[in-house]
Amino acid sequence: MRPRGVRWIRNRTLEPEVNMAERRLNFLERFAGEKQLNSVDFMKIWSHYDMDGSGYLERKELDKFLVDLLCHRFGQNPSAEFVEEFRTTVLEKIDRNKDGKVELGEFAHLLPIEDNFMKKFPTRKSLSRKQFNDIFLHYDPDGNGFIEGKELLALIRDIMSRTQQTVTLQDVEDYRFAVLRVFDKNTDGRLSRRELGLLLSIDE
């Protein structure tokens, strides 16, 4: 996984604070083999760094992400001064409302994310059975037969992003609540194939 944001600093030199043996565990290294992140992995990364679930990466959360991003790319920890400078550059590039925080939509500019999977398909009522199966398998990467947790958030974010330019975490959470209230027939907090079929207007 080659992070997008690093191209802004490709000519700069990082100042290591610790050697390789002392590096802490880096959450981003779980996705090291991916050239592009799917939306489920993107939501996992977002949720990891949005530690208080506020829907924003505030300064400490953003710095934690940026340190991991730089370590993942360059193999060494950056100095505090470099992180501060990099944060300023990042916010200048992606913080559209200049509130000093990173929203879900803004965060997407920092990582190499695949194109919205849902945009591959026509309007919901004209989905074929194969297209429906492709959607279900894409958002059920662990193959347990349900779309749940971060998978469901990823699906909803992609559905909403088909028609909305900006989608916040609150938008996604509100939509998730509405979807589960209407389509989660057994109230287990996740979608089965049949329940997804109801959401997408497909007979399953």
Side-chain angles (χ1 to χ4, degrees), residues 12 18 32 40-41 49 55-56 62 69 76 103 111 121-122 129 132 134 153-154 170-171 187 192:
R12 302 297 304 276
V18 297
V40 175
D41 286 342
Y49 292 101
Y56 302 92
L62 179 57
L69 183 73
Q76 59 188 25
E103 299 176 0
L111 293 169
F121 304 102
R129 183 173 295 274
F132 172 81
D134 288 345
L153 292 178
Q170 188 61 55
D171 293 333
T187 65
S192 65

Side-chain angles (χ1 to χ4, degrees), residues 20-194:
M20 291 291 288
E22 295 174 321
R23 286 175 60 201
R24 61 185 174 80
L25 293 177
N26 186 333
F27 186 75
L28 295 179
E29 290 179 359
R30 300 184 185 189
F31 311 95
E34 304 296 330
K35 291 183 178 179
Q36 283 192 314
L37 294 167
N38 62 45
S39 54
V40 175
D41 286 342
F42 170 75
M43 289 307 303
K44 288 178 180 178
I45 292 172
W46 167 264
S47 297
H48 177 79
Y49 292 101
D50 180 22
M51 293 178 284
D52 60 3
S54 66
Y56 302 92
L57 296 191
E58 299 177 88
R59 179 164 177 165
K60 288 183 179 180
E61 296 167 331
L62 179 57
D63 283 359
K64 186 176 187 300
F65 168 74
L66 295 177
V67 168
D68 283 356
L69 183 73
L70 294 168
C71 286
H72 177 69
R73 177 65 181 89
F74 293 103
Q76 59 188 25
N77 282 350
S79 68
E81 292 78 11
F82 191 91
V83 172
E84 183 172 358
E85 182 179 348
F86 188 39
R87 184 196 332 112
T88 299
T89 301
V90 165
L91 291 174
E92 287 175 353
K93 294 283 186 178
I94 69 171
D95 183 18
R96 291 169 297 200
N97 61 359
K98 305 303 178 185
D99 62 356
K101 300 182 287 189
V102 175
E103 299 176 0
L104 182 66
E106 295 167 343
F107 188 65
H109 295 290
L110 293 174
L111 293 169
I113 306 170
E114 68 180 6
D115 291 337
N116 186 336
F117 191 74
M118 293 299 295
K119 288 185 177 180
K120 296 180 179 181
F121 304 102
T123 56
R124 293 183 292 179
K125 291 187 178 180
S126 60
L127 283 174
S128 68
R129 183 173 295 274
K130 180 182 183 304
Q131 289 170 332
F132 172 81
N133 287 336
D134 288 345
I135 291 170
F136 190 87
L137 291 173
H138 183 81
Y139 293 99
D140 179 32
D142 60 7
N144 73 345
F146 297 93
I147 297 176
E148 57 189 339
K150 307 302 183 296
E151 299 166 348
L152 183 55
L153 292 178
L155 169 66
I156 290 172
R157 174 182 173 270
D158 285 355
I159 289 174
M160 297 185 73
S161 296
R162 285 176 21 154
T163 56
Q164 289 183 225
Q165 186 172 5
T166 302
V167 177
T168 68
L169 184 64
Q170 188 61 55
D171 293 333
V172 174
E173 291 286 5
D174 290 346
Y175 198 110
R176 180 180 69 88
F177 178 79
V179 164
L180 292 176
R181 184 178 57 190
V182 174
F183 299 104
D184 181 22
K185 299 304 182 182
N186 61 352
T187 65
D188 62 355
R190 55 189 183 176
L191 295 182
S192 65
R193 289 181 63 89
R194 176 173 174 75

